[in-house]
Amino acid sequence: MRTPSKRLGHRKSRTGCIRCKERHVKCDELQPCSNCVRFDIVCSLTLPPDEAQALSKTNRRKATKRAEISSPASSSAAPLRQSLAPESISPRESVTSSDTISIKALTAPSDPAPLTPATWNHDQPYLSFPLTWMQSLRLVHHYTVAVCEMMSQDQCTIEVWKVTVPQSAFSHEFLMHGLLAVSALHYAQCHPDQREEYLIISSHYQGLALQFFTTRLGSISDDNFEPFFFLATFIFLWNLCSFSDPHESAKLVSTAEIAQSFKLLHGIKSICEAKPSGWSEDGPLSPLFQQWEPVPVDRSGPFQAQLDRLYDLARDLIPSFDAINTQSSCLLAIETLRTTHAACMSDKSTQMSQRIWFWPITLTQFFIELIRTKHPVALIILAHYAALARTFEQKKLINVGWSPKVMDAVKASLEEKWLEWIAWPCKSLREEIDVDKMDPA
């Protein structure tokens, strides 16, 4: 007679984390638990008892609020539904909002319906995802065939973004979120009929990537340097795309947004300075970190003559006893603009367009703050940089349209008495005349 097999025991998790209990899933009781690590959320097992209890109460309040909103009988749901209506939210706001935007599944995967702002859910973004995995595959495909080709004119650099970055993204989920975000943002610009849907998807992935990035900036190591560098670059690309969106040509960019884009470049620079000491110059990232030899500055020509005028203007600023002040920051910005101009004009390779970003990387934080606060001399210098940058904008590159937006922001921020100082760069940009082919002012 066959002996009855003993039933396998099942150990219940009685000391699991709060989120696992509320979701009715098994918790492995690690600190943090695997489920919380997977969704990149705070685990109650890593918190003191009082904070963990507060987290539980917060989750219960959110669950109650969602139940009230979903109830047809709830009169308080009407204002919320109205605020989430498509006509009440602009696409640009959906991309630039600091809130993480999440997406609910509306239909079966075989027949996905387009996303609208009415489908957003701000409560638990880590539990939300795009409608179908087919959309993610579409975005990966769009990234490799369209976005990568807009990153550079240099084939070696394109190869890094087309091959090395996706390989890294498959091992680092936060980098994949960044890749999908920039791809969705560009896809929205290329497909106006699906623009609103993919702006929401892009914003969703931006929120997931930033949630991870901002909490782990202090933990960059030899093992994660590459994905952090790539994600920082993607964050800057989101900013570039928002500037150059052809569907929002009438939207005025603020000086604060320009200053923020320069700060993002400084963030990339900081990550680059933390690259591993044993990093190989023959490795997959070598095309992005080539060392360029400094070139002598030729002070002849119309653009250099304009910088001489700006130098005299900056010298008239009242100095202070601080080493870094308004006058010294403006003078330094002019001199580094000279160097950037010389470097760009002397380079005839396919990487020439990359050198235009030398200038914002060399700016002092003091000068970037002058741009944000609309200091007239700082904005006049910025206008001349925009005229130089226009030369390196091409239709197939991702920064196309950046310079006109910057110039419009400068014109809108300057008082009338300063406008004569930007007439020269405005003409260069408006008539698409190379700064070295302009007549002297």
Side-chain angles (χ1 to χ4, degrees):
M1 182 176 177
R2 184 180 177 183
T3 305
S5 58
K6 186 180 294 185
R7 184 181 178 184
L8 295 177
H10 174 70
R11 185 174 68 88
K12 290 187 177 181
S13 172
R14 301 190 182 278
T15 57
C17 82
I18 292 173
R19 293 192 185 275
C20 287
K21 288 181 179 179
E22 291 178 345
R23 294 175 56 221
H24 303 290
V25 296
K26 181 174 175 58
C27 181
D28 56 17
E29 300 180 19
L30 297 176
Q31 296 183 8
C33 76
S34 300
N35 289 328
C36 289
V37 171
R38 177 188 174 193
F39 290 114
D40 194 24
I41 57 178
V42 177
C43 181
S44 63
L45 298 180
T46 63
L47 300 175
D50 55 339
E51 293 185 21
Q53 186 177 6
L55 180 66
S56 177
K57 292 180 180 179
T58 301
N59 288 344
R60 283 197 296 270
R61 284 197 299 268
K62 287 184 176 181
T64 303
K65 184 177 180 181
R66 285 195 298 272
E68 292 173 352
I69 291 174
S70 60
S71 173
S74 175
S75 59
S76 61
L80 180 62
R81 293 194 188 97
Q82 186 176 3
S83 67
L84 294 179
E87 61 271 15
S88 66
I89 304 174
S90 68
R92 184 176 178 88
E93 289 173 343
S94 70
V95 176
T96 59
S97 171
S98 59
D99 294 331
T100 302
I101 299 174
S102 56
I103 302 167
K104 287 183 176 179
L106 300 179
T107 59
S110 59
D111 185 23
L115 295 174
T116 66
T119 69
W120 301 351
N121 170 20
H122 294 267
D123 288 335
Q124 291 180 298
Y126 51 86
L127 296 179
S128 305
F129 43 83
L131 290 180
T132 69
W133 60 273
M134 290 292 288
Q135 283 178 320
S136 298
L137 292 180
R138 175 181 293 171
L139 291 176
V140 172
H141 174 262
H142 182 77
Y143 171 83
T144 56
V145 302
V147 177
C148 291
E149 298 296 329
M150 300 185 68
M151 303 286 272
S152 174
Q153 292 178 300
D154 179 66
Q155 194 57 42
C156 292
T157 303
I158 292 175
E159 195 71 10
V160 171
W161 293 107
K162 183 177 288 187
V163 177
T164 307
V165 174
Q167 286 177 343
S168 181
F170 287 128
S171 302
H172 301 87
E173 190 175 22
F174 67 90
L175 179 58
M176 180 60 75
H177 290 155
L179 184 154
L180 295 174
V182 75
S183 180
L185 193 54
H186 185 260
Y187 190 92
Q189 295 181 6
C190 297
H191 299 80
D193 57 325
Q194 297 175 281
R195 171 178 161 77
E196 185 179 82
E197 176 181 358
Y198 278 88
L199 284 179
I200 297 173
I201 293 175
S202 176
S203 191
H204 166 74
Y205 282 124
Q206 286 182 37
L208 292 176
L210 288 173
Q211 183 182 17
F212 182 95
F213 188 72
T214 55
T215 58
R216 289 166 175 80
L217 272 177
S219 59
I220 299 178
S221 63
D222 292 3
D223 296 329
N224 61 18
F225 160 73
E226 290 187 9
F228 268 92
F229 166 75
F230 290 139
L231 180 57
T233 306
F234 280 144
I235 294 172
F236 175 67
L237 292 178
W238 303 340
N239 185 274
L240 272 186
C241 286
S242 67
F243 275 52
S244 57
D245 190 344
H247 303 286
E248 294 192 4
S249 56
K251 184 76 173 182
L252 188 65
V253 173
S254 69
T255 56
E257 290 175 290
I258 298 171
Q260 179 63 24
S261 67
F262 290 167
K263 289 180 180 179
L264 291 173
L265 282 174
H266 278 251
I268 297 174
K269 178 184 177 183
S270 299
I271 293 176
C272 291
E273 292 172 349
K275 67 176 181 286
S277 56
W279 180 79
S280 173
E281 294 185 358
D282 298 324
L285 299 189
S286 58
L288 304 181
F289 294 97
Q290 290 185 1
Q291 297 295 323
W292 284 305
E293 295 295 329
V295 297
V297 177
D298 182 2
R299 292 179 176 262
S300 62
F303 188 73
Q304 292 290 338
Q306 279 296 117
L307 296 186
D308 289 338
R309 292 183 66 223
L310 298 188
Y311 197 86
D312 292 337
L313 176 65
R315 288 186 64 181
D316 291 337
L317 294 171
I318 300 175
S320 70
F321 291 105
D322 297 324
I324 303 297
N325 54 57
T326 301
Q327 184 195 62
S328 62
S329 295
C330 289
L331 291 175
L332 181 59
I334 294 170
E335 289 305 310
T336 55
L337 188 51
R338 288 188 193 275
T339 305
T340 302
H341 170 255
C344 291
M345 294 308 172
S346 64
D347 190 351
K348 304 303 179 184
S349 70
T350 54
Q351 293 182 323
M352 174 179 59
S353 60
Q354 297 177 17
R355 294 199 177 202
I356 196 62
W357 299 110
F358 282 1
W359 185 72
I361 288 176
T362 60
L363 296 177
T364 64
Q365 292 296 325
F366 194 102
F367 186 83
I368 294 176
E369 184 63 15
L370 292 177
I371 291 176
R372 189 189 70 82
T373 56
K374 304 180 182 181
H375 189 281
V377 177
L379 294 182
I380 291 169
I381 299 171
L382 176 63
H384 285 74
Y385 171 70
L388 175 63
R390 199 258 344 143
T391 309
F392 303 97
E393 290 183 8
Q394 298 185 18
K395 289 184 177 179
K396 74 170 191 173
L397 293 183
I398 205 163
N399 65 331
V400 63
W402 184 87
S403 296
K405 284 296 188 74
V406 171
M407 190 66 79
D408 289 342
V410 171
K411 287 191 292 186
S413 302
L414 286 176
E415 296 179 9
E416 187 174 355
K417 64 180 180 180
W418 296 104
L419 293 180
E420 62 179 273
W421 283 93
I422 64 169
W424 192 91
C426 280
K427 180 179 179 180
S428 171
L429 198 149
R430 181 178 62 253
E431 299 181 13
E432 298 186 355
I433 304 174
D434 193 303
V435 291
D436 285 329
K437 295 179 181 178
M438 286 280 292
D439 295 329

